[in-house]
Amino acid sequence: MAERLNALFARVRWTDAHGRQREYSTAEVAKAVTADPSHPATLSRSYLAMLRNGSHTNPTLSVLEGLAKFFDDHREPESRPITVQCLVAQEDPEDALLRERLAGHQVWKIAMRAGAMTPAMREQLLKMIETFDQDGTPGTGAGA
């Protein structure tokens, strides 16, 4: 869990007044989780530090919910949602579906090309796909 939690600290950042990307501190996250009235979790800086360094490995569900909510609320808008499952490494059903669909070579090639496109180009591609979906049954193409 420490590895996944530290990965969230590294990935979810804030921008300072000079435009630099900054990592949230352990104290900032603990304070924000405790102050959030949408869940019952309270979290001290020292306990969060122990979760991060692996000396504590079994937080309560409310602590996991509080951490997941904090990081989800502060993630980039187009990034995947952050859930308790992300923290405890349970397989997300969407991940399994994604892996299954990307197993097709043609689907993988399309996904790789789309990933290299600008957001405007991806929007155009999505509109084209929606047009194709209106013309026929989705997912019936050969070789996918």
Side-chain angles (χ1 to χ4, degrees):
M1 170 154 160
E3 184 178 317
R4 290 182 296 280
L5 186 56
N6 286 320
L8 285 176
F9 271 90
R11 189 176 88 211
V12 177
R13 297 174 167 265
W14 61 278
T15 305
D16 70 13
H18 301 287
R20 294 178 290 212
Q21 291 287 305
R22 301 287 187 169
E23 188 175 299
Y24 287 97
S25 72
T26 300
E28 289 172 318
V29 174
K31 184 177 179 179
V33 168
T34 299
D36 186 343
S38 69
H39 55 78
T42 57
L43 188 60
S44 70
R45 181 207 52 80
S46 59
Y47 182 69
L48 181 54
M50 289 186 271
L51 289 173
R52 291 187 73 183
N53 70 26
S55 61
H56 276 63
T57 58
N58 194 20
T60 65
L61 180 57
S62 65
V63 166
L64 291 171
E65 290 169 343
L67 288 168
K69 183 173 184 316
F70 173 84
F71 286 109
D72 190 60
D73 288 350
H74 294 87
R75 68 183 166 84
E76 289 293 318
E78 292 186 14
S79 65
R80 294 198 57 216
I82 296 168
T83 64
V84 170
Q85 289 176 326
C86 296
L87 287 168
V88 296
Q90 293 175 349
E91 184 171 57
D92 186 331
E94 288 184 15
D95 288 342
L97 179 61
L98 178 63
R99 267 195 306 284
E100 178 185 318
R101 291 195 176 164
L102 284 176
H105 182 68
Q106 289 175 327
V107 174
W108 182 82
K109 283 175 63 175
I110 291 167
M112 294 302 290
R113 300 249 337 245
M117 293 177 175
T118 65
M121 290 173 66
R122 284 193 298 267
E123 187 62 36
Q124 287 178 337
L125 179 60
L126 286 170
K127 287 178 182 175
M128 291 170 58
I129 291 170
E130 287 170 7
T131 300
F132 291 142
D133 285 347
Q134 291 173 1
D135 292 342
T137 306
T140 58

